[in-house]
Amino acid sequence: MNTLCRYALRVGAGSGLGLLACAGPMSGLDDLALRSATIAGVEDAEVELRDGVWEGEPFAKGAASRPSIDLVEGFVLRGGFTSPGHEEAAVLLRQNGGGSGTFLWLAILESAPGQPRSVATTLIGDRVQVIDFSVE
């Protein structure tokens, strides 16, 4: 039996994002599977996380600076975000494009053959401090 839950993400002073979901058993979206998800909507093309991290090619030949995305550990909410009974996971991703900014993204992942895939991503902001990521 599913339970109606309210998921809330609070960032900074007073701003927030709420999602409604029905929690239920999750298949293919455990923490280990999420670390190998395919992410769309952050870079120009889809990227595959490997052990929770993706690193692109260096910006210049021989340079150390390169784009990267990593899964923010400990920030996962599970439920049916796009429709009741649909199994998905909401995760936070940290993106660095080689400069001083660190961009935080919210991605909704669904179970797919082989590995989870993102079905929606949205930018939360640059250098955002997450205060809480919880089920209420």
Side-chain angles (χ1 to χ4, degrees):
M1 181 169 161
N2 290 338
T3 304
L4 183 63
C5 301
R6 185 171 140 253
Y7 296 86
L9 168 66
R10 286 179 277 177
V11 293
S15 63
L17 170 68
L19 301 168
L20 287 178
C22 292
M26 305 302 289
S27 61
L29 292 173
D30 60 35
D31 290 348
L32 185 60
L34 295 177
R35 295 177 61 77
S36 65
T38 298
I39 307 296
V42 177
E43 293 291 324
D44 291 336
E46 286 186 341
V47 301
E48 280 187 34
L49 300 180
R50 294 192 189 276
D51 200 25
V53 176
W54 169 82
E55 288 187 340
E57 294 297 318
F59 290 109
K61 188 175 180 174
S65 185
R66 62 180 64 219
S68 67
I69 297 172
D70 64 292
L71 185 66
V72 179
E73 299 292 333
F75 291 95
V76 178
L77 300 175
R78 292 176 173 85
F81 301 108
T82 60
S83 64
H86 194 80
E87 296 178 353
E88 295 157 321
V91 300
L92 294 179
L93 301 166
R94 195 172 21 241
Q95 175 201 27
N96 187 300
S100 63
T102 300
F103 298 92
L104 191 65
W105 293 78
L106 173 67
I108 306 299
L109 307 176
E110 69 178 5
S111 183
Q115 63 197 60
R117 301 185 68 78
S118 63
V119 294
T121 54
T122 189
L123 177 64
I124 295 176
D126 181 14
R127 300 178 204 136
V128 174
Q129 178 186 9
V130 176
I131 296 168
D132 191 23
F133 195 69
S134 64
V135 177
E136 295 181 2

